[in-house]
């Protein structure tokens, strides 16, 4: 069974700090996605990484896919209160179109 | 373009009662998903439709859950009878077609079973 484990589970930081969230698996994924979910809303796709070692940037967010395609990280530079939310990684299970989601990292950025 | 619409947004029922959730996907999207999300956790797939066909319902507890997607557009998820452990957020998502990796999620229905 493919699993995605995220760490840390909770993170509370001050505005302006940097942080990194991790998504790990013992299985290889053809691609991984990162979502952000705000309270009372559904997850919104931020990025998809598909190549081992790939780095993608979205303003202050930097996403990296591990060389072996078993892990990914999300780094936020100079966090802002608007970054507050639940960050989820997700990936397709082998040979299917079924996506599994990670356990989530709940981020709170204090002003 | 309108997003995925779900209703109701909130539902409170007593255990053993039936409940139904409705989802209208983005126009033209062939693939529709129902997920269950417990507090602070990631969504878990319940069922996936490709047009009107349920192509993956392996995680749907069929003794009490049922779903339909008539005419390949709107979908309804039903629970009968509801149990305390069914309290969760039920999310609907759609994508343009199977294998298209961008899923668009609705706001969800928060179910509380008393």
């Amino acid at each position: 069974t493919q699993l995605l484990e995220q760490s840390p589970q909770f993170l509370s930081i001050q505005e302006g700090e940097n942080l990194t969230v991790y998504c790990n698996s013992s299985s290889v994924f053809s691609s991984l996605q990162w979502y952000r979910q705000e309270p009372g809303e559904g997850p919104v796709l931020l990025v998809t990484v598909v190549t081992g070692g790939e780095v993608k940037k979205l303003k202050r967010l930097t996403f990296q896919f591990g060389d072996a395609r078993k892990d990914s990280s999300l780094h936020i530079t100079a966090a802002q209160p608007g970054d507050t939310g639940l960050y989820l990684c997700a990936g397709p299970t082998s040979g299917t179109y079924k996506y599994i989601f990670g356990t989530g990292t709940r981020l709170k950025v204090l002003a | 373009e309108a997003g995925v619409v779900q209703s109701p947004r909130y539902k409170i029922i007593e255990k053993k009662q039936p409940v139904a959730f409705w989802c209208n996907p983005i126009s033209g999207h062939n693939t529709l998903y129902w997920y269950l999300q417990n507090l602070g956790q990631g969504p878990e797939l319940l069922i996936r439709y490709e047009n009107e066909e349920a192509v993956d319902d392996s995680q749907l507890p069929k003794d009490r859950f049922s779903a339909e997607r008539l005419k390949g557009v709107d979908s309804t998820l039903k629970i009968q009878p509801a149990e305390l452990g069914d309290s969760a957020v039920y999310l609907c998502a759609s994508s343009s077609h199977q294998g298209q990796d961008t899923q668009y999620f609705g706001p969800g229905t928060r179910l509380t079973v008393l």
Side-chain angles (χ1 to χ4, degrees):
Chain A
T1 303
Q2 291 177 284
L3 294 173
L4 288 168
E5 295 190 5
Q6 292 185 236
S7 61
Q9 189 175 0
F10 300 99
L11 193 54
S12 180
I13 62 172
Q14 294 292 326
E15 182 177 4
E17 293 185 4
N18 301 331
L19 67 115
T20 302
V21 174
Y22 300 92
C23 173
N24 295 292
S25 177
S26 58
S27 305
V28 174
F29 283 84
S30 59
S31 64
L32 281 178
Q33 301 179 318
W34 284 93
Y35 289 80
R36 179 170 64 215
Q37 183 176 21
E38 299 184 15
E41 300 297 329
V44 176
L45 181 65
L46 297 174
V47 77
T48 302
V49 286
V50 296
T51 305
E54 180 177 7
V55 177
K56 281 191 174 180
K57 292 190 175 183
L58 184 65
K59 297 183 180 178
R60 296 175 293 100
L61 279 60
T62 301
F63 305 85
Q64 185 163 8
F65 201 10
D67 291 341
R69 292 186 287 128
K70 293 182 177 181
D71 57 87
S72 181
S73 63
L74 158 60
H75 182 80
I76 301 179
T77 303
Q80 298 178 0
D83 296 326
T84 293
L86 179 66
Y87 287 81
L88 297 160
C89 62
T93 53
S94 296
T96 76
Y97 298 117
K98 175 182 176 179
Y99 277 74
I100 60 170
F101 283 78
T103 48
T105 293
R106 187 165 297 279
L107 171 66
K108 186 169 186 178
V109 182
L110 304 171
Chain B
E1 180 181 271
V4 176
V5 179
Q6 290 187 248
S7 69
R9 291 294 311 273
Y10 305 92
K11 189 72 177 180
I12 301 174
I13 61 172
E14 294 192 348
K15 63 180 180 182
K16 300 185 181 180
Q17 294 300 307
V19 64
F21 314 124
W22 175 80
C23 173
N24 181 238
I26 292 173
S27 177
H29 279 194
N30 296 327
T31 308
L32 184 146
Y33 312 78
W34 282 103
Y35 288 90
L36 177 154
Q37 185 176 28
N38 288 305
L39 186 64
Q41 298 183 22
E44 301 171 34
L45 181 69
L46 290 172
I47 189 168
R48 175 168 60 92
Y49 281 94
E50 189 65 25
N51 296 307
E52 65 273 11
E53 180 184 0
V55 294
D56 184 354
D57 63 356
S58 57
Q59 302 301 311
L60 190 72
K62 299 181 183 63
D63 57 336
R64 297 184 301 107
F65 286 65
S66 64
E68 60 182 10
R69 190 184 185 198
L70 300 177
K71 301 181 181 179
V73 181
D74 295 3
S75 178
T76 303
L77 178 68
K78 298 178 181 178
I79 308 175
Q80 182 172 9
E83 297 179 352
L84 296 176
D86 297 331
S87 295
V89 174
Y90 291 83
L91 292 165
C92 179
S94 69
S95 62
S96 60
H97 59 270
Q98 185 168 259
Q100 206 280 340
D101 63 4
T102 302
Q103 296 182 48
Y104 297 86
F105 284 83
T109 296
R110 180 175 295 279
L111 173 67
T112 301
V113 182
L114 302 176

